[in-house]
Amino acid sequence: MDYSQFFHMIPEAALMAILVIVFLADLILKGEKKLASLSLLTGILLALQVVVCFAAGPSSAFAGLYNVTAATNVMKIILTVGALIVVIMSQPWLKQPTVTNKIGEFYALLVSTLLGMYMMISAGHFLLFFLGLEMASIPMACLVAFDKFRKNSAEGAAKFILTATFSSGIMLYGISFLYGAVGTLYFDDVAAKITTSPLTIMGLVFFFSGLGFKISLVPFHFWTADTYQGAPTPVTGYLSVVSKGAAAFALLTILMKVFAPMVEYWEYLLYIVIVLTITIANLFAIRQSELKRFMAFSSISQAGYIMLAVVGNSAMGVAALSYYILVYVVANMAVFTVINVVEQNNGGETRMKAYDGFYTTNPKLSLLMTLALFSLAGIPPFAGMFSKFFIFMAACEQGSTLAYAVVFIALINTVVSLYYYLLIVKAMYINKSENPLPTFKSDCSTKLALALCTAGVLLCGVCSFFYDWIRVAV
């Protein structure tokens, strides 16, 4: 084997180096300053990783087993930025006595999941894709159960690992059908040989179902709310945006590249799943009183919107999905940063009722939370409005009456989502409370995370550079 081909995998090699450095630093660093030193080191290394991904060019290695395009590099940059924000926002939580002795393990697991996502979206072979998916899923289960002294954390991790195992088995079953039908697992070869036989149709359905669990598409979403509630808040934010974004991009790539000859089959499957996902998630979100469960159903709804980009089956769809994930990362992480700092300063309270009168005691956090929620709801001039617009435009490129009907239903659901996002704004600004949350001062890491997220929400909405950069790449 020609080992020089590993030089084509520079982003993955750099991430492996970060993993080794973090592991060694955890062994070497001691004392009270370990948290600050290790966090600073990991943050700087992930920031440099963004530069590495930006500089990396298109490449291929191991006879097409591993492929990199400009579009995959853009997605790696977005995922790395999301991981960097998680590192920054997690500082208040990592100072707790129950987890402060496991800082190195947290960062090592975080980087491990990111490495798995890199492999997943760069795969040109179904087995490498599956290995990347498992490299991301197994450390993620450890992150969900990281705070082992909380009952909800163990329960959420159990549900996550059981559903992840079940979905992986279903996906591998579907991949075996495809191998039996075409005799190869390379994406390009499968696309050239695939036909609409019963075996390949079953393979498509099982593969889509398995990845639907990872993205939390209805009806594969039942694990999401319990896992999001049980996981530590920084992990919930990471799971809701970075993990979901990587799986959505991988699904789009495989459907458009491998299953292109079967587009008339998976388009109808997508129509049904998108409508069910957005509608059911919105209806359940309205009924939630616990904020992390509320954001879980919000993320399920957002997954339905993300899948609209796949309907168009075009380059514009790839650009729209990447841009949507970028905007979703900064907006959703801003919300989870506020939830995290409130949770740490209020005895672990995450019920929505606790935010009654929040503006009277913490006006700045209330304002930033409102901006992020407005972006998630798609209110102009925030970035969320433009991301939804591009998603709808990409879906309309399909041109069929059914595609227009699905977009119309999604538009109606946008109004519904505006209502339940405004429930939080109403609690903060209008609802009265006899015992509101106390006034507290955020630490520097929380301020930095909120500054990055708020800048992303505002700048992505008023600067065309971000979308143009993504569009040119794809």
Side-chain angles (χ1 to χ4, degrees):
M1 185 173 66
D2 183 8
Y3 290 99
S4 65
Q5 294 187 82
F6 283 108
F7 289 107
H8 295 286
M9 305 173 67
I10 295 298
E12 286 76 14
L15 210 54
M16 275 297 302
I18 292 175
L19 185 60
V20 173
I21 292 170
V22 169
F23 179 76
L24 292 177
D26 181 43
L27 293 177
I28 296 169
L29 294 173
K30 304 291 181 183
E32 297 179 355
K33 294 185 178 180
K34 180 177 179 178
L35 172 59
S37 302
L38 195 56
S39 301
L40 181 62
L41 175 64
T42 308
I44 291 173
L45 291 174
L46 286 177
L48 292 174
Q49 178 69 20
V50 172
V51 179
V52 171
C53 293
F54 191 82
S59 62
S60 180
F62 306 108
L65 191 74
Y66 171 90
N67 293 302
V68 174
T69 63
T72 56
N73 281 333
V74 167
M75 184 51 57
K76 287 177 182 179
I77 292 171
I78 295 172
L79 298 178
T80 308
V81 169
L84 176 60
I85 295 173
V86 171
V87 169
I88 297 170
M89 68 165 283
S90 62
Q91 301 308 301
W93 168 65
L94 288 173
K95 291 176 182 176
Q96 288 189 344
T98 55
V99 294
T100 192
N101 61 331
K102 298 181 289 184
I103 308 163
E105 290 92 329
F106 175 74
Y107 290 141
L109 289 170
L110 191 75
V111 176
S112 298
T113 61
L114 192 60
L115 178 61
M117 294 172 203
Y118 273 26
M119 300 300 295
M120 184 170 64
I121 64 178
S122 292
H125 189 281
F126 273 109
L127 286 186
L128 183 61
F129 168 80
F130 182 77
L131 289 174
L133 187 65
E134 293 306 294
M135 283 172 64
S137 297
I138 295 173
M140 187 65 75
C142 299
L143 287 173
V144 174
F146 201 76
D147 195 353
K148 63 181 181 181
F149 296 104
R150 292 178 58 214
K151 177 184 176 182
N152 288 343
S153 187
E155 179 186 351
K159 291 181 178 179
F160 178 80
I161 195 64
L162 287 174
T163 53
T165 304
F166 182 63
S167 63
S168 297
I170 290 176
M171 182 187 299
L172 205 56
Y173 193 41
I175 291 173
S176 69
F177 279 156
L178 292 174
Y179 183 74
V182 299
T184 181
L185 290 177
Y186 284 94
F187 289 171
D188 292 335
D189 294 340
V190 173
K193 296 180 180 180
I194 199 168
T195 58
T196 54
S197 65
L199 202 59
T200 55
I201 293 173
M202 289 298 295
L204 168 63
V205 171
F206 280 119
F207 177 81
F208 183 87
S209 300
L211 207 49
F213 274 100
K214 311 296 184 184
I215 309 175
S216 304
L217 298 173
V218 172
F220 316 110
H221 67 291
F222 294 103
W223 60 274
T224 312
D226 291 330
T227 298
Y228 281 29
Q229 182 182 7
T233 301
V235 176
T236 304
Y238 186 70
L239 186 61
S240 69
V241 291
V242 180
S243 177
K244 192 184 297 294
F249 183 84
L251 179 59
L252 176 141
T253 303
I254 292 174
L255 287 179
M256 291 177 58
K257 186 174 184 179
V258 180
F259 294 106
M262 302 175 64
V263 63
E264 68 273 13
Y265 290 90
W266 58 258
E267 268 190 351
Y268 290 110
L269 180 64
L270 269 180
Y271 291 147
I272 297 169
V273 169
I274 288 170
V275 171
L276 288 176
T277 299
I278 297 175
T279 306
I280 292 176
N282 282 348
L283 293 177
F284 274 88
I286 295 173
R287 299 177 57 86
Q288 301 306 310
S289 59
E290 208 277 339
L291 203 50
K292 288 169 74 174
R293 294 184 71 88
F294 170 89
M295 293 304 297
F297 285 104
S298 165
S299 74
I300 295 170
S301 175
Q302 298 287 349
Y305 286 106
I306 291 172
M307 285 296 101
L308 277 171
V310 188
V311 171
N313 194 24
S314 64
M316 183 180 180
V318 181
L321 181 140
S322 301
Y323 180 73
Y324 195 102
I325 292 172
L326 171 62
V327 173
Y328 182 49
V329 165
V330 292
N332 218 45
M333 289 308 301
V335 174
F336 276 107
T337 301
V338 175
I339 294 173
N340 182 54
V341 71
V342 170
E343 184 181 12
Q344 301 309 318
N345 287 276
N346 195 42
E349 182 62 76
T350 57
R351 290 181 302 167
M352 198 181 299
K353 190 173 179 58
Y355 287 77
D356 289 350
F358 189 49
Y359 176 76
T360 60
T361 56
N362 295 273
K364 292 180 181 178
L365 287 177
S366 300
L367 176 61
L368 297 180
M369 180 85 148
T370 303
L371 295 180
L373 291 171
F374 281 176
S375 181
L376 290 174
I379 296 176
F382 304 107
M385 189 277 287
F386 295 99
S387 64
K388 281 189 168 60
F389 173 77
F390 291 131
I391 284 284
F392 293 150
M393 288 294 293
C396 288
E397 273 204 342
Q398 204 276 341
S400 68
T401 305
L402 200 54
Y404 289 128
V406 172
V407 170
F408 179 72
I409 295 172
L411 281 168
I412 294 174
N413 274 281
T414 302
V415 179
V416 178
S417 67
L418 175 60
Y419 166 74
Y420 64 71
Y421 285 126
L422 286 176
L423 289 177
I424 304 176
V425 178
K426 176 176 176 286
M428 292 189 297
Y429 286 88
I430 299 175
N431 291 359
K432 304 296 182 183
S433 175
E434 296 180 358
N435 188 26
L437 288 168
T439 302
F440 49 81
K441 189 175 182 180
S442 304
D443 60 358
C444 293
S445 59
T446 300
K447 291 178 180 177
L448 178 57
L450 286 173
L452 291 173
C453 293
T454 306
V457 167
L458 296 176
L459 293 178
C460 289
V462 298
C463 298
S464 62
F465 161 80
F466 296 98
Y467 181 74
D468 288 340
W469 166 59
I470 294 172
R471 181 175 56 82
V472 170
V474 302

